[in-house]
Amino acid sequence: MDHRTVLQLFLHFLLVTVRSDVQNDFSEECREFMYMGTAPQGLENRSLKKICQRYNGKPRYVTLYDVVDHIPVYSAYTFKRSDGSKKVDVPWMYEPQLSASSGSGEMQPFPSNVHDSFSDTQAVLEDYSNTVDFERGHLNPDEHQAHPDDKAATYTLTNVVPQVRDFNIGHWKQQEHIVRRRLNNYCRGTAYVVTGVTTSGRMIRRYNIDRVAVPTYLWSAYCCVDYDHNAPFDERSKFPAFASHGLNEKGGTEVEEMSVQELEDFLKRSTFVDKRFQIFFENCESNSVVKT
């Protein structure tokens, strides 16, 4: 076998094994983070990229990312029972696959020098460095994960949006605690969560250029079809699915809980979803789970 043939085989091996995880459609292994393997319907735009968020050799959750506004539209993940502790020793990461088709399929820590190819398609640390009003707020929060690697994987800028500090550490954080305790206590099976945003054109600017969209609302919905039917009524009435939204403002009102249908109706009025918009397959209804 001559050197040219060896080189051709090696290049073919690279093309097969080194792959981007910005996907035209979520792969089977990445669909495990969505109820019935189905992504939210009715969100289509050429600037929206489907990312299978990989860390340390495994997929961890999925994100629909806007490469123009430089924020995630939503992150979808499976909830893991936890005590709510945070993993605070993780460097912030970026997604190489958004910068080049041959980029790594795994999130990576930011290098010391951030090239223009990074910032063209995603937020970078500098976008958040001089913002007084906003901080990085997770859509998939580390307190909803248990394994250290799952927690670490939430620290990528493709999973965060600019949140008003008072809202991030106040009403929204309280709602994340409420959902964690509820799912910890009363969800017997897998809980699927989708958390996203609405926007209205407000932007964080850097060097007089629009860089990162500021969410108007944050919203979230969960689906758990296998739950404790002996739970107190106030909790049982919030299964198999429930939702919430909150206004991303200083001194805003408390996060409002509602049915998933009510949230979908709100989003159809408030953002760019179309009339087919549906967060969970068949509204998180399953006839396969025996209720006790």
Side-chain angles (χ1 to χ4, degrees), residues 54 62 72 183 195:
R54 292 178 175 273
V62 299
L183 296 179
T195 300

Side-chain angles (χ1 to χ4, degrees), residues 63 87 102-103 113 138 164 196 207 237 259 262 291-292:
T63 295
K87 186 173 177 61
S102 59
N113 295 317
H138 289 67
V164 173
Y207 303 135
S237 63
S259 70
E262 288 172 326
K291 297 182 178 182
T292 57

